[in-house]
């Protein structure tokens, strides 16, 4: 009887797996760069924000105030609010989304800092399981085009919950941290989606070892808002991104 029960539970687990999980079990899933069109918001709680819809999430970005918010479409709840930088007229925020071909998989937002048309790096935000997590800052730009976005040279894959960020092998990547130029094949990052709070980390063989938000640049600190009793992100005064 006990053996029959175990077999029945195993069969039930197999049946209840999603088609995406069945199709990708043990395989590496690739994420595709999608440049989504934003919509300016008005007559809402996000007046002045640009809204981007990924399917399961709505992302709101305000370059003037340097604020971002993520809303879970299913629950209609705001699952993340973040102040990226101190507001200034020179820095703009441009979103780049990496989306898999399967539903109910994570979505990566690479939120690019642009200063005078040049990329200053990318804030990495993971949207997964109805939540959103700030995972760090990659202080890199493509050397081609005097500081272009790295996203066109970036490939994101995921296998068994581990995301890997790799670059086109011969791409020329510039570091704002040490002013060095690397070949794409020399660089790599990893993100454990099961422990997103630990943030992005350089891969073991990466020549570049710095990740902001979990390294030299702390992520914006989350402090309680005494008025609403909800946690709101506040930027550390001494930190400059």
């Amino acid at each position: 009887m006990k053996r029959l029960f175990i077999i029945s539970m195993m069969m039930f687990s197999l049946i209840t797996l999603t088609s995406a999980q069945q199709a990708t079990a043990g395989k590496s899933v690739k994420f595709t760069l999608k440049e989504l069109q934003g919509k300016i918001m008005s007559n809402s709680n996000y007046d002045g924000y640009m809204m981007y819809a990924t399917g399961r999430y709505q992302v709101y970005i305000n370059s003037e105030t340097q604020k971002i918010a993520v809303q879970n479409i299913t629950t209609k709840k705001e699952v993340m609010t973040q102040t990226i930088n101190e507001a200034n007229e020179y820095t703009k925020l441009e979103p780049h989304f990496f989306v898999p071909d399967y539903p109910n998989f994570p979505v990566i937002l690479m939120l690019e800092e642009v200063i005078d048309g040049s990329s200053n790096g990318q804030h990495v935000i993971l949207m997964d399981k109805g939540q959103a997590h700030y995972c760090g800052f990659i202080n890199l730009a493509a050397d081609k085009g005097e500081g272009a976005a790295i996203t066109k040279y970036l490939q994101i894959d995921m296998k068994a919950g581990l995301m890997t960020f790799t670059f086109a092998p011969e791409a020329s990547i510039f570091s704002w941290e040490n002013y060095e130029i690397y070949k794409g094949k020399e660089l790599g990052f990893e993100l454990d989606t099961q422990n997103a709070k630990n943030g992005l980390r350089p891969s073991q063989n990466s020549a570049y070892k710095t990740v902001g938000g979990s390294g030299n640049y702390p992520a914006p600190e989350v402090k309680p808002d005494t008025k609403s009793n909800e946690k709101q992100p506040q930027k550390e005064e001494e930190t400059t991104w």
Side-chain angles (χ1 to χ4, degrees), residues 171-186:
S172 180
I173 307 297
F174 174 76
S175 165
W176 289 108
E177 178 71 19
N178 56 22
Y179 298 96
E180 294 286 339
I181 296 177
Y182 298 88
K183 289 292 186 184
K185 62 185 177 183
E186 300 178 282

Side-chain angles (χ1 to χ4, degrees), residues 4-25:
L4 179 61
F5 174 77
I6 293 174
I7 293 174
S8 298
M9 289 302 296
M10 290 176 64
M11 291 299 295
F12 175 78
S13 298
L14 288 173
I15 293 171
T16 54
L17 283 175
T18 67
S19 58
Q21 289 173 321
Q22 294 179 33
T24 61

Side-chain angles (χ1 to χ4, degrees), residues 126-191:
L126 170 72
M127 292 173 279
D128 186 26
K129 298 182 176 67
Q131 299 296 316
H133 308 274
Y134 182 92
C135 298
F137 180 66
I138 300 178
N139 200 10
L140 298 173
D143 186 50
K144 183 178 181 181
E146 298 181 351
I150 61 174
T151 48
K152 292 182 179 180
Y153 305 93
L154 184 64
Q155 174 64 55
I156 300 178
D157 300 87
M158 186 178 78
K159 183 177 181 180
L162 181 66
M163 281 188 171
T164 56
F165 297 66
T166 56
F167 296 84
E170 298 305 316
S172 180
I173 307 297
F174 174 76
S175 165
W176 289 108
E177 178 71 19
N178 56 22
Y179 298 96
E180 294 286 339
I181 296 177
Y182 298 88
K183 289 292 186 184
K185 62 185 177 183
E186 300 178 282
L187 307 176
F189 300 91
E190 296 177 343
L191 176 61

Side-chain angles (χ1 to χ4, degrees), residues 195-229:
N195 296 283
K197 64 181 181 180
N198 293 333
L200 196 70
R201 60 178 182 259
S203 57
Q204 184 175 359
N205 298 323
S206 178
Y208 185 76
K209 299 296 183 182
T210 300
V211 177
S214 56
N216 290 347
Y217 297 83
E221 182 181 355
V222 176
K223 295 181 179 179
D225 184 337
T226 55
K227 294 182 180 180
S228 65
N229 293 324

Side-chain angles (χ1 to χ4, degrees), residues 37-194:
Q37 292 295 319
K39 175 185 177 182
I40 187 70
M41 300 300 294
S42 61
N43 301 319
S44 74
N45 294 331
Y46 301 101
D47 281 4
Y49 284 69
M50 292 293 292
M51 187 275 286
Y52 301 85
T54 70
R56 289 178 295 136
Y57 307 92
Q58 288 181 335
V59 178
Y60 300 88
I61 298 171
N62 191 320
S63 275
E64 292 185 3
T65 62
Q66 298 286 292
K67 291 183 178 179
I68 175 175
V70 180
Q71 186 182 68
N72 182 320
I73 291 181
T74 302
T75 63
K76 304 299 183 183
K77 290 183 178 180
E78 193 175 76
V79 294
M80 178 183 183
T81 59
Q82 196 94 4
T83 300
I84 300 299
N85 291 302
E86 294 178 1
N88 67 78
E89 61 182 301
Y90 303 106
T91 304
K92 303 301 179 185
L93 301 176
E94 295 186 359
H96 308 273
F97 295 88
F98 282 84
V99 183
D101 292 331
Y102 300 95
N104 301 321
F105 268 65
V107 173
I108 285 287
L109 165 60
M110 304 288 281
L111 188 59
E112 181 185 9
E113 285 189 10
V114 179
I115 302 176
D116 292 332
S118 179
S119 176
N120 195 48
Q122 310 273 338
H123 296 276
V124 181
I125 295 170
L126 170 72
M127 292 173 279
D128 186 26
K129 298 182 176 67
Q131 299 296 316
H133 308 274
Y134 182 92
C135 298
F137 180 66
I138 300 178
N139 200 10
L140 298 173
D143 186 50
K144 183 178 181 181
E146 298 181 351
I150 61 174
T151 48
K152 292 182 179 180
Y153 305 93
L154 184 64
Q155 174 64 55
I156 300 178
D157 300 87
M158 186 178 78
K159 183 177 181 180
L162 181 66
M163 281 188 171
T164 56
F165 297 66
T166 56
F167 296 84
E170 298 305 316
S172 180
I173 307 297
F174 174 76
S175 165
W176 289 108
E177 178 71 19
N178 56 22
Y179 298 96
E180 294 286 339
I181 296 177
Y182 298 88
K183 289 292 186 184
K185 62 185 177 183
E186 300 178 282
L187 307 176
F189 300 91
E190 296 177 343
L191 176 61
D192 182 356
T193 60
Q194 304 303 316

